[in-house]
Amino acid sequence: MNRRNFLSLTGTFTGGLLVLPEFLHAFGSQQNLIIGEQCVVFIQLNGGNDGLNTFIPYENPLYYDLRPKIALRKETVISASNGMAFHPALKSFATMQQNGDLSVVQNVGYPEPVRSHFRSQEIWQTASDSSQYINEGWLGRYLDLQCKDHQPTAGINIDAIDNLALKGNEPNFITVKDPNRFKVRTENEENIQLSTNPQLDFVRKIANSVTEGSDEIQKALAKSKATISYPKSGLSKNLEWISRLIKGNLNSKVYYTSLGGFDTHDNQLAIHNNKLTELNDAVFSFYQDLKQAQQLQNVTLVVFSEFGRRVKDNGNGTDHGTAAPMFIIGGNNKGKIIGNNPNLSNLDNGDLKHEIDFRSVYASLLQNKLNFDYRKIGLNNTILEGLF
Amino acid sequence: MNKNNLWSLRLGYTSKQASVIAKIGIEKFLQLSFTSKFDSPLPSFLNDDPKTIAELREYRQTFKNANTDEQKKFLKLQIKKGVELKSWWIDKIKNEEFPLREKMVCFWHNHFVSTIQKVKSNYWIYQHNQLLRENAFGNFKELTKKIVKTNAMVRYLDNVDNKKGKINENLSRELLELFTIGIGNYTEDDIKNGAKALAGLGLGENQAQYRPFFEDNDEITYLGKTGNFKVDDLIDIIFDQPEIPFLITKKILKWFIYDTPSQELVTYYGNYFKKQNFEIQPLMMKIFMEEFPKNNAGSKIKDPLVYILQLSIELQIPSISNTMIGFFTKQQGMDLLNQPNVKGWDGGNSWLSSQIYLQRNNVSDLLCSGRNINRKAFNQIPDEEEDQPKISLEKINVTIDFDSNGTNKKIISELCERLVFNVDELMQKDMETILKYDFDPKSENANQAVLRLFNFITKTPEYQLI
């Protein structure tokens, strides 16, 4: 395995000239052609985050009519402007927005929305149409084209289980529960023999990533230090590790982690407040950490969920819905609010109609941040303008 | 791999039944498994748990009136009993003479998911688990009816909040999406209308019951039929749908044999299942009898429970506590009685990530070197301190069965027959490096050398598959 910084490369081209992955090999031998490689960090909010109670149309009387029990009062929402405001737990999101580092993309979704968690997550992770089934994740397909051979640390998933979004034909990512405990402990299995048994091949590849990736991670961790103190929560811990890996020049292109608990069918006000607080505090520490390390311009944080929730409440909670806002933080984004405010009077079966396809956000991330022609992984949507 | 060992692992958790299968044959083994007895006295640690609605109310009141310290104690006790419940089940799994019933309980447990964490009543979870045991080989349609009416399920899928004029779709959705016909075979309107029919089905004394005040008696249209329907009617209608046999048939094939069963097999066995009126026992009999002679070893990644139980049986360690086994499987992403979500564990490739693999290897290293696994071994900061087993650093005796008259090659092949479905040249070479040609099986530390070989085998990719 020839380890190279394929990542230092993408930043050197303007306009997606990296047509063939073979080129990477030749250029990859020159390390760090430019300073400041870009990477994208994803936080997936599992369970379907209620967009309307996250970024709130607090001036819309319909919002209060449809949500008698769970609407947030005008006096409590924060950072109001142009009819929209943040949930009171998101005070640091408001700060980041005021600093010009946070963009909100409104009404993000896809045609013919599916209200099943599993299927909708699959759609987000594979960037497929609602009726199309793809076995490889969108980031996995991107990494397949970007990496010659395979690069076990091109993508890092910090979670208990593997993530479909990163799954490609080659294992170009590794899943880590806690990078610090990731110790090298195996004999060197240099060559993977391919057999006729796909299950066996799968296990063999995993067995190999254990060896290869752990080395790189250990090196990156050794190079970086924890500089600010993060709150005590699962997400904070994960983001703290990601920050250390970035600061330690691991040079991964994509980091992925998740936060569960957003499936608020009941007792929404309390649960949602807790979850958003956890999100807010973790993200803000990460943001400050990167800012202090002067890395924020190179790191784009993307916060999303598989769907939003029904406009009308079901009492103390909400059922599965459709479109919702996405948040983009850092990476030199323009700090704008993109898209119209949610239209609560023109609903589809009680749910918001989406106005911006999530794949056009993906397209923008690939094109503008990773310098990659998004059409190569089968994205046909037009790029979302105004983000970067 | 010897077929009897393979099927002992598939129909149970270890190689313990291999000799029985060899002796009486697979058909007789299955018949005895289907008629195996199970006992059902209430486990004593649940004696004092609230059971009736009145007792539950009283418990809640006491809890509410207690001060913070006392409340903490209450919660600790609840968690402790949850761990005991898990251990009680693991004990059955480990010790059944015919473990197929418990394997099936675990299957249903992962199909009709209902977790301690959400339900917050160990007694209801116990009831739910016991119902699966009684109906393990019963009728799928009847079991679905019974399960949907458990207190555990109406609580788990929020039907307790599903009331006329304040509809909650959760149970209605999963009844179609995950429990029966699967996504793509119903509309959003079916979900909404089903939820109406389920409105008011809330907690009851021994099982869920309708509360007239919250029922919605509107006429609805459900999967094309119109009328006044209640929960059993919904399930009757669902079981008239043409897609009904396939989702569960596929899951059974995945649970026992193939991570990715072919569509042909699913259709073939599914059609038979329908002809048998959704009786599970004849379906299983047919699947196992027809799959047994096939050459299909190595098509499924071991789940964590099989991994750890097989290891402890092979190494002849009686002393790994049930709590520790439960803790290990939790670390490996298979927390019994607490799946991460209603879909249950995905199984297949998702059983293994790089770190889970590494952890399996660590545990094998520890056990093979005669150290019992403990909390420290997992290198895990406790997330809920209450459910952590005690740290134990005891030294244990491990030993492995092998023919003490054999040569190195004979012992290698003996172990491989029992443990791995496939051995290639490279692996054979490695094993002969560990157990060399001049190996003396009668020497004092022969057991240690064979243990090293065993340890090596358990860390191969081949060993992860059955």
Side-chain angles (χ1 to χ4, degrees):
Chain A
M1 182 63 51
N2 188 0
R3 285 215 52 81
R4 331 165 282 286
N5 284 331
F6 82 97
L7 309 154
S8 60
L9 253 176
T10 48
T12 64
F13 291 96
T14 53
L17 286 174
L18 293 175
V19 185
L20 295 168
E22 280 74 24
F23 283 137
L24 289 171
H25 192 62
F27 290 108
S29 52
Q30 306 172 39
Q31 301 204 344
N32 287 321
L33 289 174
I34 62 153
I35 298 166
E37 296 89 337
Q38 299 286 316
C39 68
V40 185
V41 180
F42 292 90
I43 301 177
Q44 179 174 317
L45 306 179
N46 287 330
N49 178 38
D50 187 3
L52 287 173
N53 269 19
T54 303
F55 195 55
I56 303 154
Y58 74 102
E59 277 181 343
N60 190 334
L62 279 174
Y63 170 69
Y64 295 94
D65 290 348
L66 289 166
R67 298 190 153 197
K69 285 250 183 72
I70 61 154
L72 292 153
R73 285 179 297 114
K74 271 184 189 139
E75 304 80 63
T76 58
V77 299
I78 54 176
S79 194
S81 98
N82 190 27
M84 299 300 291
F86 282 104
H87 185 286
L90 295 177
K91 48 186 189 306
S92 309
F93 273 56
T95 309
M96 293 185 287
Q97 189 193 31
Q98 278 147 24
N99 292 349
D101 290 322
L102 180 144
S103 287
V104 184
V105 188
Q106 303 213 74
N107 305 304
V108 185
Y110 53 91
E112 295 162 68
V114 180
R115 291 164 186 83
S116 146
H117 296 294
F118 315 105
R119 179 60 191 144
S120 198
Q121 284 183 1
E122 232 175 45
I123 290 168
W124 276 81
Q125 291 175 345
T126 57
S128 70
D129 288 333
S130 172
S131 56
Q132 182 191 14
Y133 292 84
I134 304 180
N135 292 326
E136 284 78 40
W138 71 285
L139 294 166
R141 304 201 298 275
Y142 154 69
L143 293 173
D144 275 348
L145 290 177
Q146 277 298 287
C147 313
K148 191 166 186 285
D149 299 326
H150 86 117
Q151 298 276 347
T153 57
I156 304 283
N157 176 39
I158 304 204
D159 207 334
I161 52 164
D162 283 347
N163 190 310
L164 176 60
L166 290 158
K167 187 174 161 267
N169 287 322
E170 294 299 323
N172 287 316
F173 77 100
I174 53 175
T175 294
V176 184
K177 255 171 137 178
D178 179 343
N180 198 32
R181 305 205 171 82
F182 203 88
K183 298 221 173 82
V184 193
R185 267 186 138 278
T186 162
E187 307 82 293
N188 213 4
E189 285 177 73
E190 266 293 285
N191 28 357
I192 314 161
Q193 318 105 299
L194 286 183
S195 70
T196 50
N197 179 339
Q199 291 309 99
L200 180 59
D201 288 344
F202 171 80
V203 182
R204 281 182 175 168
K205 281 182 181 172
I206 287 205
N208 263 40
S209 332
V210 169
T211 334
E212 296 169 9
S214 57
D215 229 342
E216 298 303 311
I217 288 183
Q218 289 298 341
K219 268 190 241 157
L221 289 176
K223 268 194 269 176
S224 65
K225 281 203 192 86
T227 42
I228 75 163
S229 101
Y230 280 70
K232 287 206 179 346
S233 73
L235 181 66
S236 290
K237 201 180 77 183
N238 292 352
L239 289 179
E240 183 175 3
W241 285 121
I242 292 176
S243 133
R244 287 194 58 184
L245 295 175
I246 292 170
K247 290 187 289 180
N249 285 324
L250 181 65
N251 264 346
S252 300
K253 264 306 173 203
V254 183
Y255 297 87
Y256 215 111
T257 187
S258 66
L259 176 64
F262 288 88
D263 196 13
T264 48
H265 284 282
D266 194 14
N267 195 17
Q268 166 160 335
L269 283 176
I271 297 173
H272 200 225
N273 187 56
N274 284 344
K275 284 289 142 187
L276 290 182
T277 304
E278 187 181 343
L279 176 70
N280 179 77
D281 298 352
V283 166
F284 193 57
S285 303
F286 183 68
Y287 168 84
Q288 286 174 306
D289 191 359
L290 292 174
K291 214 170 172 178
Q292 199 177 312
Q294 300 184 321
Q295 288 276 3
L296 187 63
Q297 72 282 6
N298 301 330
V299 181
T300 309
L301 184 67
V302 179
V303 182
F304 74 99
S305 185
E306 72 264 28
F307 45 61
R309 307 192 73 83
R310 191 72 38 86
V311 177
K312 184 167 170 23
D313 66 28
N314 69 12
N316 295 319
T318 43
D319 287 317
H320 304 177
T322 50
M326 270 176 99
F327 301 97
I328 313 287
I329 297 159
N332 264 339
N333 77 77
K334 288 192 173 154
K336 285 194 194 151
I337 292 169
I338 300 172
N340 302 318
N341 292 352
N343 182 345
L344 305 187
S345 58
N346 177 18
L347 300 177
D348 169 20
N349 237 333
D351 288 323
L352 294 171
K353 291 183 177 166
H354 88 278
E355 293 188 14
I356 294 174
D357 196 300
F358 72 97
R359 287 163 294 190
S360 57
V361 183
Y362 286 179
S364 170
L365 292 167
L366 289 171
Q367 181 97 319
N368 295 319
K369 300 320 293 178
L370 302 174
N371 222 332
F372 178 84
D373 181 358
Y374 55 90
R375 285 169 286 250
K376 283 200 268 182
I377 58 161
L379 293 185
N380 301 317
N381 303 70
T382 47
I383 197 161
L384 178 68
E385 297 295 345
L387 200 46
F388 298 103
Chain B
M1 192 190 239
N2 178 306
K3 261 197 194 311
N4 302 318
N5 279 295
L6 174 66
W7 283 84
S8 175
L9 281 161
R10 283 180 171 174
L11 301 176
Y13 298 88
T14 68
S15 300
K16 246 164 80 181
Q17 285 75 35
S19 55
V20 187
I21 300 177
K23 201 166 143 201
I24 64 175
I26 184 77
E27 186 168 10
K28 182 87 180 132
F29 180 79
L30 287 168
Q31 277 159 359
L32 289 174
S33 297
F34 292 141
T35 51
S36 65
K37 298 272 179 298
F38 57 93
D39 58 12
S40 42
L42 183 71
S44 58
F45 58 86
L46 289 178
N47 279 342
D48 301 334
D49 267 38
K51 295 175 190 71
T52 63
I53 298 285
E55 282 170 3
L56 209 77
R57 260 194 216 119
E58 198 190 310
Y59 175 84
R60 286 229 190 102
Q61 203 53 46
T62 321
F63 182 81
K64 229 174 144 181
N65 295 336
N67 64 35
T68 333
D69 275 357
E70 285 167 344
Q71 285 188 341
K72 263 193 193 149
K73 262 190 207 156
F74 267 114
L75 289 177
K76 261 197 170 155
L77 188 67
Q78 277 295 100
I79 292 171
K80 189 168 161 269
K81 285 186 175 176
V83 174
E84 277 185 76
L85 185 58
K86 217 189 271 186
S87 300
W88 167 84
W89 187 18
I90 291 173
D91 207 59
K92 286 186 180 302
I93 289 171
K94 267 182 9 185
N95 296 322
E96 285 301 322
E97 192 185 354
F98 296 99
L100 183 60
R101 182 182 299 275
E102 292 304 325
K103 188 113 178 176
M104 208 51 197
V105 173
C106 198
F107 168 81
W108 289 122
H109 158 75
N110 198 44
H111 181 69
F112 293 117
V113 171
S114 195
T115 67
I116 289 186
Q117 204 175 19
K118 171 94 181 257
V119 174
K120 292 194 173 63
S121 158
N122 291 316
Y123 178 65
W124 289 344
I125 291 292
Y126 160 77
Q127 277 190 317
H128 178 266
N129 192 270
Q130 191 64 18
L131 186 66
L132 301 179
R133 189 162 291 108
E134 289 157 10
N135 294 276
F137 308 124
N139 185 287
F140 178 36
K141 183 169 168 180
E142 293 314 309
L143 178 57
T144 308
K145 287 186 178 175
K146 287 176 184 164
I147 281 292
V148 172
K149 282 178 283 191
T150 56
N151 280 335
M153 192 54 83
V154 293
R155 165 74 63 82
Y156 181 66
L157 287 179
D158 299 309
N159 211 59
V160 290
D161 300 320
N162 183 13
K163 297 164 184 173
K164 186 185 169 110
K166 198 191 141 191
I167 294 297
N168 189 307
E169 297 173 357
N170 213 7
L171 178 60
S172 173
R173 179 180 304 278
E174 305 311 2
L175 176 60
L176 290 170
E177 180 183 335
L178 296 178
F179 295 168
T180 58
I181 50 182
I183 198 160
N185 297 311
Y186 54 83
T187 65
E188 284 293 316
D189 282 340
D190 293 325
I191 304 269
K192 289 203 170 91
N193 289 334
K196 277 187 167 183
L198 293 171
L201 182 65
L203 302 173
E205 286 303 339
N206 223 357
Q207 60 169 50
Q209 64 185 49
Y210 275 107
R211 314 233 160 161
F213 185 70
F214 297 127
E215 281 185 70
D216 187 327
N217 293 315
D218 283 357
E219 193 178 75
I220 58 163
T221 299
Y222 191 69
L223 298 168
K225 292 216 166 147
T226 305
N228 286 101
F229 302 133
K230 291 291 155 192
V231 54
D232 282 351
D233 306 318
L234 297 189
I235 293 169
D236 285 334
I237 295 171
I238 293 171
F239 275 77
D240 285 337
Q241 302 302 307
E243 304 83 10
I244 184 70
F246 303 116
L247 184 142
I248 203 78
T249 302
K250 184 171 181 186
K251 278 183 100 168
I252 290 176
L253 285 168
K254 282 175 83 167
W255 187 252
F256 287 97
I257 307 168
Y258 302 103
D259 278 345
T260 48
S262 74
Q263 194 50 50
E264 287 94 316
L265 281 185
V266 174
T267 312
Y268 171 69
Y269 289 121
N271 287 335
Y272 177 79
F273 185 38
K274 190 171 184 182
K275 263 195 215 127
Q276 296 298 315
N277 253 322
F278 313 110
E279 289 291 336
I280 290 291
Q281 186 178 318
L283 173 69
M284 292 176 73
M285 192 60 151
K286 185 174 177 73
I287 291 178
F288 298 148
M289 288 307 292
E290 293 191 19
E291 295 301 317
F292 184 85
K294 290 187 190 169
N295 193 5
N296 53 19
S299 15
K300 182 179 154 58
I301 294 174
K302 281 176 194 168
D303 66 48
L305 200 51
V306 169
Y307 184 86
I308 190 70
L309 292 177
Q310 186 187 10
L311 212 53
S312 68
I313 290 296
E314 289 295 337
L315 291 168
Q316 305 172 31
I317 314 170
S319 61
I320 300 183
S321 70
N322 295 330
T323 326
M324 191 54 75
I325 289 171
F327 184 66
F328 172 79
T329 62
K330 178 181 176 180
Q331 291 296 305
Q332 293 258 308
M334 188 186 191
D335 193 10
L336 293 175
L337 308 176
N338 264 327
Q339 287 91 338
N341 58 49
V342 54
K343 199 186 180 190
W345 312 300
D346 284 336
N349 289 2
S350 73
W351 282 136
L352 274 191
S353 70
S354 34
Q355 204 163 37
I356 285 175
Y357 198 151
L358 204 59
Q359 193 180 51
R360 287 188 179 188
N361 292 349
N362 285 341
V363 164
S364 173
D365 286 352
L366 280 172
L367 289 177
C368 289
S369 58
R371 276 168 292 157
N372 210 344
I373 49 167
N374 57 53
R375 176 152 82 73
K376 260 190 166 167
F378 297 114
N379 256 335
Q380 175 77 21
I381 294 172
D383 36 8
E384 308 129 49
E385 63 176 279
E386 289 85 356
D387 70 349
Q388 303 289 321
K390 284 201 192 71
I391 295 181
S392 71
L393 290 167
E394 62 180 308
K395 184 89 180 146
I396 48 169
N397 272 323
V398 290
T399 175
I400 194 112
D401 256 350
F402 66 94
D403 179 2
S404 59
N405 293 315
T407 60
N408 71 325
K409 282 193 182 169
K410 204 164 165 217
I411 292 166
I412 287 170
S413 91
E414 180 192 350
L415 257 63
C416 289
E417 274 295 291
R418 199 160 82 213
L419 301 170
V420 280
F421 76 97
N422 180 40
V423 178
D424 61 21
E425 216 178 295
L426 212 73
M427 185 171 163
Q428 181 68 29
K429 220 176 94 199
D430 287 344
M431 290 190 290
E432 287 178 28
T433 317
I434 297 169
L435 216 57
K436 295 195 173 62
Y437 68 95
D438 55 358
F439 168 69
D440 174 8
K442 296 215 166 15
S443 69
E444 213 172 290
N445 63 349
N447 184 53
Q448 286 305 314
V450 181
L451 271 173
R452 279 199 297 277
L453 172 68
F454 173 77
N455 187 206
F456 166 81
I457 293 174
T458 62
K459 292 195 283 184
T460 59
E462 284 80 356
Y463 182 78
Q464 312 300 322
L465 297 168
I466 46 177

